């Protein structure tokens, strides 16, 4: 069964800190890994990773994939209170529907 | 681009009644739509996958007669919770995956969600 495990489940930091969120996965026929940010409503897309070692970057957020060790990390530098959210990692499951299997998420709280 | 809307955003209904939730892709054609449910402090749980013009595929443990899904067009899917009970109270989120010309193959665009409360 395809599985995604995120750690830590919860993280509290101060503004300006740098955080690293982890996502490990087990999936048959890996194709990609996706990161989402969920605030009070539905998730918003951050990154899609398909190749090992290539960093994707968007402002203070960056992410990288290691297909050999089956994990990905999401880094946020110089955190702001607006970064407070649940960060979800997902992989497409096997089969034709291409449904996503989500991890439980990391709840990040950035305090002023 | 790639905007998905849901309606209503919040609904309160009485036990035993039915509630319909709409999911629309506003600026792209969604060949596949997904319906998720999220309980407090838990992750998204996929309920069903809906392909335009065909029957939905339900995940194990999800009652297809209780959660009716209709994907009648490339821009609209509906989820009807029939004979709702308080335990059906949850946050329901849809997502849409576009045709390969408009969106990355495995990228899903989420609607804003519908908070259902059954009293």
């Amino acid at each position: 069964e395809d599985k995604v495990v995120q750690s830590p489940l919860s993280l509290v930091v101060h503004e300006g800190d740098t955080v690293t969120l982890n996502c490990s996965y087990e999936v048959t026929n890996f194709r990609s890994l996706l990161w989402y940010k969920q605030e009070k409503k539905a998730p918003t897309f951050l990154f899609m990773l398909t190749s090992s070692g290539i960093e994707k970057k968007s402002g203070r957020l960056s992410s990288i994939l290691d297909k050999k060790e089956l994990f990905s990390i999401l880094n946020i530098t110089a955190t702001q209170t607006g970064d407070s959210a649940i960060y979800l990692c997902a992989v497409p499951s096997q089969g034709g529907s291409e449904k996503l299997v989500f991890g439980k998420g990391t709840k990040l709280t950035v305090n002023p | 681009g790639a905007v998905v809307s849901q309606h209503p955003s919040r609904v309160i209904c009485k036990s035993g009644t039915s509630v319909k939730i709409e999911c629309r892709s506003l600026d792209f054609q969604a060949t596949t739509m997904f319906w998720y449910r999220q309980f407090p402090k838990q992750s998204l749980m996929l309920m069903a996958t809906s392909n335009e013009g065909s029957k939905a595929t339900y995940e194990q443990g999800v009652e297809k007669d209780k959660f009716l899904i209709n994907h009648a067009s490339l821009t609209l899917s509906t989820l009807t919770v029939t004979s709702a009970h308080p335990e059906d109270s949850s946050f329901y989120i849809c997502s849409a995956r576009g045709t390969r010309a408009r969106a990355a193959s495995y990228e899903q665009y989420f609607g804003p969600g519908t908070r259902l409360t059954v009293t």
Side-chain angles (χ1 to χ4, degrees):
Chain A
E1 187 181 330
D2 298 336
K3 191 166 68 171
V4 175
V5 178
Q6 290 186 248
S7 65
L9 292 180
S10 180
L11 190 56
V12 180
V13 300
H14 291 291
E15 268 193 317
D17 289 349
T18 293
V19 297
T20 298
L21 310 182
N22 303 293
C23 174
S24 64
Y25 61 89
E26 292 177 25
V27 62
T28 305
N29 189 24
F30 175 85
R31 289 163 290 176
S32 64
L33 183 144
L34 300 98
W35 283 97
Y36 290 87
K37 176 182 181 182
Q38 185 177 23
E39 296 175 85
K40 290 184 179 175
K41 292 194 173 180
T44 54
F45 174 78
L46 294 176
F47 299 111
M48 182 172 76
L49 304 161
T50 55
S51 301
S52 273
I54 298 174
E55 185 184 52
K56 291 234 174 165
K57 202 169 170 62
S58 175
R60 296 176 294 102
L61 276 66
S62 63
S63 184
I64 198 160
L65 175 69
D66 185 328
K67 286 164 73 172
K68 185 179 175 186
E69 300 297 331
L70 308 182
F71 78 90
S72 172
I73 59 171
L74 175 68
N75 276 322
I76 308 176
T77 59
T79 51
Q80 301 171 358
T81 55
D83 295 327
S84 297
I86 296 174
Y87 290 83
L88 296 166
C89 173
V91 292
S93 183
Q94 64 176 343
S97 67
E98 297 173 353
K99 63 185 181 185
L100 293 177
V101 175
F102 283 87
K104 292 189 175 179
T106 294
K107 183 178 180 182
L108 173 66
T109 303
V110 182
N111 290 322
Chain B
V3 177
V4 176
S5 71
Q6 266 183 256
H7 177 81
S9 58
R10 186 180 290 268
V11 58
I12 300 172
C13 71
K14 291 189 175 178
S15 191
T17 60
S18 294
V19 174
K20 181 187 279 190
I21 303 169
E22 291 186 350
C23 177
R24 291 181 187 272
S25 57
L26 298 185
D27 54 358
F28 69 103
Q29 292 184 331
T31 51
T32 305
M33 288 185 171
F34 302 86
W35 286 96
Y36 295 85
R37 182 167 50 183
Q38 187 175 35
F39 291 107
K41 298 186 181 179
Q42 294 190 23
S43 190
L44 298 171
M45 295 294 294
L46 179 66
M47 298 174 67
T49 302
S50 157
N51 290 298
E52 185 266 338
S54 62
K55 289 185 179 179
T57 303
Y58 290 80
E59 294 299 299
Q60 197 170 10
V62 178
E63 298 174 60
K64 60 182 178 183
D65 294 330
K66 181 170 180 61
F67 298 99
L68 301 178
I69 291 172
N70 186 295
H71 192 160
S73 77
L74 284 171
T75 59
L76 173 65
S77 176
T78 60
L79 167 69
T80 302
V81 183
T82 62
S83 188
H85 290 288
E87 56 264 32
D88 297 324
S89 298
S90 188
F91 191 50
Y92 291 87
I93 306 173
C94 74
S95 70
R97 186 168 61 82
T99 58
R100 291 178 187 268
R102 290 292 307 276
S105 303
Y106 310 111
E107 218 171 288
Q108 289 185 21
Y109 300 94
F110 286 86
T114 296
R115 175 77 58 196
L116 170 63
T117 303
V118 184
T119 60

